[in-house]
Amino acid sequence: MMNGGAWGGGWMGGYGGIWMPILLAVVVVALVVWVVKQKK
């Protein structure tokens, strides 16, 4: 992925290591919900 560590660190002031997995989980859940809604 697009140099995720450095990008996350710069984006979140060094807290990227903590927030990236949480943010990624939220994005994945949102995507799954969206796909399910599209199918209905």
Side-chain angles (χ1 to χ4, degrees):
M1 280 179 77
M2 314 175 291
N3 198 5
W7 179 81
W11 174 66
M12 212 66 176
Y15 293 100
I18 299 169
W19 288 107
M20 288 308 290
I22 298 171
L23 196 68
L24 198 65
V26 170
V27 170
V28 168
V29 169
L31 195 67
V32 169
V33 170
W34 181 79
V35 168
V36 169
K37 285 190 175 187
Q38 293 295 316
K39 288 184 178 181
K40 287 187 178 178

